[in-house]
Amino acid sequence: MERLMTDAEITAAWSDICKVLNKDQDELKGDILSHIGNKWSLFVIHAWGIDGKMRFSNLESHVNGISQRMLTKCLRELERDGLVSRAVYAEVPPKVEYELTSLGRGLLVQVTPLWFWIAKHADELKNAREEYAKSRGMQ
Amino acid sequence: MERLMTDAEITAAWSDICKVLNKDQDELKGDILSHIGNKWSLFVIHAWGIDGKMRFSNLESHVNGISQRMLTKCLRELERDGLVSRAVYAEVPPKVEYELTSLGRGLLVQVTPLWFWIAKHADELKNAREEYAKSRGMQ
DNA sequence: CAGGATCCGCTCTGATACTG
DNA sequence: CAGTATCAGAGCGGATCCTG
């Protein structure tokens, strides 16, 4: 599952990358980004790495710091975009299970390299910030 | 550069995925996501697929619809996080060149699978939305 | 050319309170 | 348990004007 690329691979893949970047479905990309690109969506999707079926309160406790309002909103959007399915059980107390659709699982998988990358470059990322802060502080 | 995974591969990779998902560097992830989750950052980074060195006006014309204010702000943030470097030339008229750092190129590469995926599933994504709209409209 | 500064509407968020 | 409703504040984002 180590899918990070070397610099050489990056160089080799560059033209392919550019192709995608230019495929101007910009509108669609914007749409997708507007949903996965909000503060919480990716973290919420993230949570299904733990279990295939998640209840509301379950998600709430796994996504650190999310408010119930935002979780609700986020789930509705994900549902609307076909990434998550929602099953309501007519029980008392109420029970609602959320699952990733195959589309949603696909997205999770695509995003995973990003998590790997962040984990791998954590120090670099942190240092970059600190150095920037220092250099600005001196001025 | 075709890096989409099959369902079988996904299943096989799942435990690895979960490991990363739990590595709780949540704060750091949040930082990175603040870029992904910002309306413009990814599109701006995106632009460097075209050329390694970009000037301000160049970026402005490649990122559709961005205002000068937001481009400025976005560039500052990317610089702060060590993803972009900035070179000022003491000329008249002024000239400033922005480049992705190796960290920035890394991020671009990690995000690329996501663009591929969006491009590949564009129809599915659009359909999912339309069906959702329909089913809600009927109620 | 590459922005900094300012004004302003709007949306996004979080807290709190309430419901089936 | 799984939400909905409401409200207030912070920040986003655009337009405009200005500068080295």
Side-chain angles (χ1 to χ4, degrees):
Chain A
M1 195 52 205
E2 182 57 61
R3 305 170 82 240
L4 301 176
M5 298 172 80
T6 65
D7 275 356
E9 285 174 319
I10 292 175
T11 306
W14 207 257
S15 73
D16 285 311
I17 291 175
C18 294
K19 250 184 271 170
V20 186
L21 300 187
N22 289 325
K23 261 204 169 174
D24 63 346
Q25 295 166 314
D26 271 6
E27 195 190 337
L28 185 62
K29 287 178 185 168
D31 269 10
I32 303 299
L33 280 190
S34 76
H35 294 298
I36 66 161
N38 78 47
K39 193 172 173 183
W40 298 111
S41 296
L42 280 188
F43 279 117
V44 171
I45 291 178
H46 201 224
W48 273 282
I50 296 155
D51 194 350
K53 297 193 178 190
M54 297 290 274
R55 300 183 57 175
F56 190 91
S57 52
N58 221 234
L59 288 165
E60 202 170 2
S61 65
H62 275 299
V63 179
N64 212 299
I66 195 170
S67 70
Q68 161 253 42
R69 175 178 152 77
M70 285 303 112
L71 180 53
T72 301
K73 200 184 150 214
C74 188
L75 286 170
R76 294 289 169 281
E77 286 171 358
L78 292 172
E79 195 193 348
R80 192 198 59 179
D81 289 357
L83 301 172
V84 157
S85 67
R86 189 189 134 131
V88 184
Y89 297 85
E91 296 176 5
V92 178
K95 179 176 168 185
V96 180
E97 277 181 350
Y98 295 91
E99 252 182 296
L100 287 181
T101 62
S102 69
L103 212 51
R105 281 195 300 278
L107 180 57
L108 175 54
V109 169
Q110 298 317 309
V111 171
T112 303
L114 188 59
W115 299 123
F116 274 109
W117 182 81
I118 292 175
K120 184 162 185 171
H121 295 274
D123 292 339
E124 271 179 84
L125 289 163
K126 215 182 292 180
N127 288 342
R129 286 209 166 189
E130 279 163 17
E131 273 170 40
Y132 185 84
K134 234 184 283 174
S135 70
R136 301 292 270 194
M138 300 285 180
Q139 282 173 13
Chain B
M1 196 51 204
E2 182 58 57
R3 303 168 85 239
L4 300 177
M5 297 170 82
T6 65
D7 274 357
E9 284 174 319
I10 293 175
T11 307
W14 206 258
S15 73
D16 285 312
I17 293 176
C18 295
K19 252 183 270 167
V20 186
L21 300 188
N22 289 325
K23 262 205 169 174
D24 63 345
Q25 294 165 314
D26 273 5
E27 194 191 338
L28 192 60
K29 287 178 186 168
D31 283 352
I32 302 299
L33 281 192
S34 76
H35 288 302
I36 298 183
N38 154 320
K39 190 173 175 183
W40 298 111
S41 295
L42 276 192
F43 281 115
V44 172
I45 291 178
H46 203 221
W48 273 282
I50 296 157
D51 193 350
K53 297 194 177 188
M54 298 289 276
R55 300 183 59 174
F56 191 90
S57 52
N58 222 235
L59 288 165
E60 204 170 2
S61 65
H62 276 298
V63 179
N64 215 299
I66 195 170
S67 70
Q68 165 252 32
R69 175 179 151 77
M70 284 303 114
L71 179 53
T72 301
K73 200 182 150 216
C74 188
L75 286 169
R76 294 290 168 280
E77 287 171 358
L78 292 172
E79 196 193 347
R80 188 198 59 181
D81 287 359
L83 301 172
V84 158
S85 66
R86 190 188 135 135
V88 184
Y89 296 85
E91 296 176 6
V92 179
K95 180 176 167 184
V96 179
E97 277 181 350
Y98 294 91
E99 253 182 295
L100 286 181
T101 62
S102 69
L103 215 50
R105 281 196 300 278
L107 179 58
L108 176 54
V109 169
Q110 299 316 311
V111 171
T112 303
L114 189 59
W115 296 122
F116 273 109
W117 182 83
I118 291 175
K120 184 162 186 172
H121 295 274
D123 291 340
E124 269 178 86
L125 289 163
K126 214 183 290 180
N127 288 342
R129 287 206 168 189
E130 279 162 17
E131 271 170 42
Y132 185 84
K134 234 184 283 176
S135 71
R136 300 291 270 194
M138 300 286 179
Q139 280 174 13

